[in-house]
Amino acid sequence: MGVQLIHFVCKRCGACCRVPGYVRLTEADILALSKALQLAPEVFVNKYTELAPGRTGLVLAGDPQLPCLFLAENGLCRLHAVRPKQCRDYPERWRSAEIEAVCKAVRSGDEPVI
C-alpha cells in the first residue's frame, strides 16, 4: 500500500535536486534527454551518464553528494519538460526522508492508496 497526496504544489525551489543520491535513467529518459540536448543517444550516454553502483543500470553522472548536473543557478531544472521518470514520479510514486525534510512544497491530505 502506498500513499497518495491529495494536494501537492511544487514551489520549484530545487531542494529535491540538491539531496544526495543518484538519478536512475530509463531508456526512454535517455532518448528524451538526448533529443532535448540535440545529441545522439550514444553521445548523451558517454557525456552525461555513468554506471550505477552495483552495475544496476545508468545514472546521471556526477558526485552523488552534489546537486543534479541539470539544476540551474535559479533552482530550476534546465530540462524540466523531459526530466527523468524518477524526477517526474516524486512525490506520487516515491519519497525519501531526506527530500521530505527539505521540500518546500505545499502539501496536505496524505491518504492511503488501496
Side-chain angles (χ1 to χ4, degrees):
M1 176 169 34
V3 174
Q4 181 178 18
L5 287 171
I6 304 291
H7 182 71
F8 181 89
V9 179
C10 178
K11 294 293 185 174
R12 298 195 186 235
C13 66
C16 56
C17 304
R18 291 182 183 90
V19 172
Y22 294 95
V23 176
R24 298 189 178 278
L25 300 172
T26 66
E27 189 173 329
D29 293 334
I30 291 168
L31 293 173
L33 291 163
S34 64
K35 183 176 181 182
L37 292 169
Q38 299 180 340
L39 298 172
E42 300 80 18
V43 174
F44 175 84
V45 167
N46 289 332
K47 186 172 183 175
Y48 292 109
T49 72
E50 57 192 36
L51 197 55
R55 303 175 63 88
T56 57
L58 293 177
V59 294
L60 284 178
D63 184 337
Q65 299 301 312
L66 296 177
C68 176
L69 66 115
F70 292 120
L71 184 64
E73 299 239 351
N74 64 2
L76 299 177
C77 177
R78 292 186 301 130
L79 298 172
H80 188 266
V82 293
R83 67 195 182 281
K85 181 177 184 338
Q86 176 177 320
C87 304
R88 289 190 317 268
D89 283 353
Y90 176 78
E92 290 293 331
R93 302 262 186 236
W94 69 273
R95 298 189 217 178
S96 74
E98 293 84 3
I99 291 179
E100 292 294 301
V102 297
C103 179
K104 295 178 179 17
V106 174
R107 63 188 82 223
S108 65
D110 284 355
E111 297 291 330
V113 174
I114 301 175

